[in-house]
Every structure is written in C-alpha cells, then in structure tokens.
Amino acid sequence: MIPRYIVDFDLHALPRRKTKVAIIGAGIAGLYTALQTSEYADVVLISKKELDDSNTRWAQGGIAAVTAKTDTPALHRQDTLIAGAGLCSYDAVDVLVHEGPDRLQELIAYGTEFDRDEQGHYELTQEGAHSKRRILHANGDATGAEIVRALSARVMEQPNITVLEHHFAIDVVTQNDECVGVIVREPNGELFFLEADATVLATGGAGQLYRYTTNPEIATADGIGIAYRAGARIRDVEFIQFHPTALYYPGAPRFLISEAVRGEGAVLRNSNGERFMDKYHPQKELAPRDVVARAIVSEMEKANATNVFLDITHESAELIRHRFPTIYQFCLQYGLDMVTDWIPVAPACHYMMGGVQTDLHGETSTKRLFACGEASSTGVHGANRLASNSLSEAVVFGHRISERIKELPDLPDVLPKRVVADPGQRHAAGTREKRVKLQKLMLRYVSVKRDEKGLRKALEELERMEQDFQDIPMEREDFEYLNLLNTAVLTTRAALMREESRGGHYRIDFPEKDDLIWRKHLVQSISAGVQEESGKNDVE
C-alpha cells in the first residue's frame, strides 16, 4: 500500500524554513493567490518546473465573466448549472458569477491585456453551452499564456513572495488533524521542511492519467494525491472532461483545438464529410463538451475511424488567422492549413471536474490546508464544467482563500515527528513503465465510455499496483507516479460505483441519468472510505 508519507523524514533533523503561506503550484490559481496573500503576509511559492510552466499557460479559449450590458450573472449562473447536470452547488456558482467580474478587473490591474476591438471594447466570444458572448481572450487564442506572463511578472516584483522553481512538494505534514507545512524536495534531491500557517494546493489537473491528453506533462494529480494521504476528502473524481477536439494527426501531439473555433462557426464532420451534431443535440457543435465528445466517439465507432474533422474553411482567412494565430501556426507545422483544410480531431482528456473538496473559502476538511483551481472541488463545475469557467473559478476562490487565511490564528508549535520505513521491505525501481501501464488502463477502461466489466478490470489491476508498492521514490517522476496511482484508484472506484450516466461520466450499461438515486456526490477519504453526500444544495 502507498503509505501516509511517501518519504522518510525527521522534523528534528531536517532543515527547516518558515512562512505564513505556502502555495504549491504556479498556474493562475497559485500565482493569483500568492499576489493576494502577499499584501499582508510572507509567501513561499513552490513550482516543480519554471514559474511559467503550468496548465494555465496552455489555456486557449479564455475566461468567462459577465461584462456585456446584454449579459447578467443570472444568465451565467443558469448556463453553469445546466452544463453541470444537476451536481453544481448553487451557492458556489452564485459566488462565481457575482464575484467573477471584480476578479477579472484585478487580473487586468495586474497587467493582463485582453483583446480589444477597434473601438477599445473587449472582444467577447461564445463557447459551448453559453447563452451569451462572455468569454474574454488574449492574443487571439493564447489567453492562458498572457495571464501567466502578467501574473508571473508581478509575482517576481513582490518582496514578500519567495519563488522556489524546480522544487517538488512531496507531502504536507499534519498534526492533530491540522496541516502544519510541507516536505519539499530541492533540485539536488535534498529535503527540507517548510513550516506554514496555511498551505494552498494549486497543483493543477490530472491529465497524465491518460495516454492522450491536452494537458502538459506536469499535470500529474499531485494535489489530489497529497491531500488524500493527508486525510482530506476527495469528491467527484469520476467526472473527467474529455475535450472533444484535440488534434489527431500522425507525429503531432494531442494539441487542443479550442472550443472557441466552434464558437466562431466551425462545424464537425464525420469521415464521410457529413455534419452530424444536429443528430445529438439542439445546440449542435455548441452543445456541452460531454455531449460533443460522446457524439464524436459514436461517429468514429460507426465508421471504424480514428478521428472526425473540424471544418472552419467557410470562414474568412482573415478571421481564422487573426482569431486563432496559435492554433493556425501549430497546425501549419504539420502541413494543415485551417483556411483550406479540415482539421482531424478526436477527444482527449482535458479537465477533472472533481478534486479536493473545499468549502466556499477554499478550505479542505484538513484544517489550514486549502485547494484552489483544478485541484479543488468547490462545487462550481458539477458533473461537467462550463467552458472557460475554470480560470474564473481560480481567481474567485483564490481571493476567498486569501481572505480566509488572513483570519487564521498563528500556527501552534510543531512537535517532533519521525517517519521511517523498514528498508528491508522496500526496493528502488523505475516508474516509467508503470506510468505507461496506468495510462493505458485508464484510456481503455475509464475513458469517454465506461462499463462495469472494464471498470472492475481496471480497478483490480490498479489496486494490485497500489498494494504491490515497494519502491523508494527518489526522482520527481517517482513521486508523480504515486500521485497518479492514488488518483487513478479513486477515479476508477467512483466510476464503478456510480451506476448512471451524468456529465463527464458515461456508463454504457447505465446510459440514463438517474436523479432519484444518483443525484449525490461520492466522497472518498482514508478515514471513512467512500461516502455518499447529498446533493441538497445542487441545482438542475
């Protein structure tokens, strides 16, 4: 079994540093929360790679917030609730849609430059399941990169923020059910203990659970693994969003083809050249992502094809090149011209709706431990995330986390703690092959379409891999693999238990949504196992 702590340490002997706030992760959630908390406290920001290397950097579509006079928070809330398929927390969504516009203005104040039209007004686009054009974007289709650029620059200017690049947070340390800090691995492999009054998990997503993902290689579910081992509650991890349109072309990575391309008029065609989305949903190409992804898989299965096609050739070359410069240039590298060619696409793992369960101020069930961004489960996304709500969620709840930390009393004295594994029971072993095996299991059995037989097979094998754990983790990829393995077991277990289809979870053997029995959440923790949590605050 994977133990509570995955490295040996002695707090009495380890080098120790101290800060008010430790933030793990350098995407929009980590950077923004660091800036907010640095206004009143010292912050240490831990990034396992360079400061600008995160999931956020690859976000294309934009950030959803009400700015147009023809739009309202009520409409944004309604769209979010509908997309979430009955499992969104009304209170969390209400917080998002009402506080999002103010947080957007803070992003702008921090230096983010969103695209404007010739009159100086912000350009707004529309994405799937939105009833209004409310998506702000930057440099056409490079919104995430622009946000990371602006926030990173501002972070580096702050004297209260210490940035630790190429450092890895291995585990949080708990004392009396409170988080008291983090065991950190330095680039040279040495460990130290970072004592903190508050610790924030802003570690991003879990795309590397799958062989095919739009996420970068760093998206290894670190926050979920760390939080689960620390005793925190993990919720809704069976709901994984597969982006419908990732590039599928020989020699090319599964590069994201933004939903905004469909928002600007692109249509989906099957291998016979036929447009097909009208058979699956009234909103056609702008239906919720889970609907579009399943429709694409169905069309691929009918034709025994590996992909479908995204066609925007009917739009002007000027619009395509101006609105989607990053996607246009990337496709061109592989001989695909969006102006004249249909782009081959297929679904790929994109986003996890669940994560570490938090309250409305981002605090987990483990005191002084917070989660923000994709690592968290705030209740905003329900069973299916509305496009471009993720960046909004990160800043809205990052601000709330900052306000909550401000109220925390000082940390009590941290008592000595010694964790030692029996060296006779463990041995060193590489993890690359095991990680590939895990990814193949998840892709085959816990993907867009699932059934009991496949899920049972996957769970049995994953639990065997977990029980056979005998490795001494030494390198970053070893720790990442253990976090992925923890999360794969949690995801597969919940997917097997939920005998219905809802949002990002589709069971071939239970193809209908069952509100009578399954309008509830599955919450997992080390202490209580799997629990069913009422969806009494959830809204259809």
Side-chain angles (χ1 to χ4, degrees):
M1 291 292 291
I2 298 175
R4 161 64 184 93
Y5 294 101
I6 55 177
V7 291
D8 306 341
F9 64 87
D10 182 348
L11 291 189
H12 183 72
L14 268 186
R16 182 179 299 204
R17 306 181 195 179
K18 186 172 174 59
T19 186
K20 176 71 174 179
V21 183
I23 297 177
I24 306 168
I28 184 174
L31 294 169
Y32 178 87
T33 307
L35 287 170
Q36 292 279 297
T37 51
S38 71
E39 295 179 6
Y40 62 83
D42 290 333
V43 178
V44 173
L45 180 64
I46 301 167
S47 175
K48 68 178 179 179
K49 293 192 75 176
E50 292 80 15
L51 188 61
D52 64 350
D53 198 339
S54 64
N55 252 3
T56 302
R57 176 183 168 192
W58 300 98
Q60 295 175 352
I63 182 168
V66 173
T67 58
K69 293 180 180 178
T70 56
D71 197 6
T72 66
L75 286 173
H76 189 186
R77 179 178 58 215
Q78 175 180 287
D79 293 344
T80 301
L81 296 175
I82 291 172
L87 283 186
C88 293
S89 160
Y90 183 93
D91 291 343
V93 174
D94 205 50
V95 164
L96 177 83
V97 301
H98 283 96
E99 298 182 13
D102 287 342
R103 304 290 80 80
L104 176 67
Q105 293 305 314
E106 287 176 348
L107 280 179
I108 294 168
Y110 284 142
T112 306
E113 297 180 3
F114 294 105
D115 293 339
R116 297 175 183 263
D117 60 23
E118 294 179 355
Q119 289 73 43
H121 302 124
Y122 288 115
E123 290 183 352
L124 301 177
T125 193
Q126 187 170 357
E127 295 182 337
H130 285 271
S131 59
K132 296 287 184 179
R133 297 179 76 91
R134 64 168 67 97
I135 315 299
L136 282 81
H137 49 82
N139 300 320
D141 55 359
T143 308
E146 169 59 17
I147 291 173
V148 167
R149 178 205 64 78
L151 295 185
S152 296
R154 184 59 66 97
V155 160
M156 296 306 293
E157 296 171 356
Q158 305 309 308
N160 285 357
I161 301 177
T162 300
V163 177
L164 301 179
E165 293 183 313
H166 298 284
H167 284 64
F168 191 85
I170 296 173
D171 269 315
V172 296
V173 177
T174 50
Q175 175 180 293
N176 299 325
D177 297 323
E178 266 192 330
C179 179
V180 296
V182 192
I183 301 296
V184 182
R185 181 184 184 274
E186 297 184 271
N188 62 6
E190 296 296 319
L191 305 182
F192 70 89
F193 173 52
L194 179 61
E195 183 180 333
D197 286 11
T199 301
V200 182
L201 300 170
T203 51
Q208 291 298 322
L209 285 172
Y210 294 86
R211 287 285 286 159
Y212 303 121
T213 177
T214 62
N215 293 183
E217 65 171 18
I218 59 172
T220 52
D222 298 326
I224 294 173
I226 290 170
Y228 181 71
R229 292 191 297 272
R233 291 157 59 89
I234 310 299
R235 180 176 65 181
D236 290 346
V237 286
E238 67 270 37
F239 297 112
I240 294 179
Q241 189 170 82
F242 291 83
H243 199 287
T245 53
L247 180 64
Y248 188 93
Y249 196 71
R254 288 298 180 95
F255 184 74
L256 177 67
I257 308 297
S258 171
E259 190 158 333
V261 178
R262 282 174 281 136
E264 296 294 346
V267 299
L268 287 163
R269 300 186 184 279
N270 60 23
S271 56
N272 294 321
E274 302 161 339
R275 189 175 177 185
F276 58 83
M277 276 308 301
D278 57 340
K279 297 186 295 183
Y280 294 92
H281 197 277
Q283 289 180 280
K284 301 178 183 178
E285 281 79 8
L286 293 181
R289 285 178 177 175
D290 61 304
V291 175
V292 181
R294 286 196 299 274
I296 289 173
V297 170
S298 295
E299 292 294 314
M300 288 162 52
E301 289 173 346
K302 288 177 186 176
N304 195 25
T306 57
N307 61 273
V308 296
F309 296 93
L310 191 65
D311 173 16
I312 196 172
T313 58
H314 50 278
E315 300 292 346
S316 71
E318 181 183 2
L319 181 147
I320 293 169
R321 291 170 181 152
H322 168 74
R323 183 65 183 82
F324 306 110
T326 305
I327 300 173
Y328 177 78
Q329 289 297 329
F330 189 90
C331 290
L332 212 56
Q333 293 178 44
Y334 296 93
L336 296 168
D337 188 341
M338 292 175 68
V339 174
T340 57
D341 298 329
W342 296 354
I343 306 302
V345 295
C349 177
H350 184 59
Y351 193 91
M352 178 173 276
M353 269 71 73
V356 188
Q357 184 177 4
T358 74
D359 62 17
L360 291 179
H361 289 89
E363 192 163 14
T364 74
S365 56
T366 299
K367 295 177 182 177
R368 296 181 182 269
L369 180 63
F370 296 80
C372 189
E374 191 174 350
S376 69
S377 174
T378 62
V380 163
H381 304 309
N384 186 49
R385 175 175 67 89
L386 182 66
S388 291
N389 266 357
S390 55
L391 299 182
S392 304
E393 180 199 35
V395 293
V396 166
F397 286 89
H399 175 81
R400 286 180 151 248
I401 287 170
S402 174
E403 293 298 301
R404 175 71 181 105
I405 291 175
K406 192 186 300 184
E407 301 170 352
L408 285 179
D410 291 340
L411 188 71
D413 291 338
V414 178
L415 302 175
K417 181 188 286 285
R418 190 163 184 249
V419 174
V420 180
D422 180 355
Q425 298 298 314
R426 307 172 76 186
H427 60 85
T431 58
R432 191 175 301 273
E433 296 84 359
K434 294 179 182 180
R435 178 163 163 171
V436 170
K437 179 181 179 181
L438 180 154
Q439 291 172 329
K440 287 182 176 179
L441 277 170
M442 296 297 288
L443 179 64
R444 183 171 183 180
Y445 299 117
V446 201
S447 191
V448 177
K449 295 183 177 182
R450 307 163 176 179
D451 62 27
E452 180 180 3
K453 181 180 178 181
L455 290 168
R456 286 196 182 280
K457 183 167 184 174
L459 185 59
E460 287 171 5
E461 187 58 35
L462 289 166
E463 287 180 336
R464 186 178 302 115
M465 293 164 69
E466 192 177 44
Q467 290 163 4
D468 290 345
F469 169 71
Q470 294 290 319
D471 301 348
I472 298 175
M474 300 176 67
E475 303 299 327
R476 192 191 85 193
E477 67 177 20
D478 301 332
F479 300 116
E480 290 176 331
Y481 165 72
L482 294 178
N483 291 328
L484 285 169
L485 182 53
N486 268 151
T487 306
V489 170
L490 296 172
T491 296
T492 307
R493 184 182 294 143
L496 179 60
M497 288 187 65
R498 183 174 288 277
E499 295 181 335
E500 66 155 356
S501 291
R502 184 187 298 267
H505 169 72
Y506 184 79
R507 289 280 298 264
I508 296 171
D509 44 352
F510 295 96
E512 302 299 323
K513 185 168 68 171
D514 186 349
D515 278 342
L516 184 63
I517 297 176
W518 283 108
R519 193 166 177 181
K520 56 191 173 187
H521 305 269
L522 293 176
V523 180
Q524 303 180 68
S525 66
I526 285 180
S527 60
V530 184
Q531 295 178 299
E532 297 178 0
E533 182 182 81
S534 169
K536 61 183 179 181
N537 189 37
D538 301 333
V539 179
E540 188 70 56

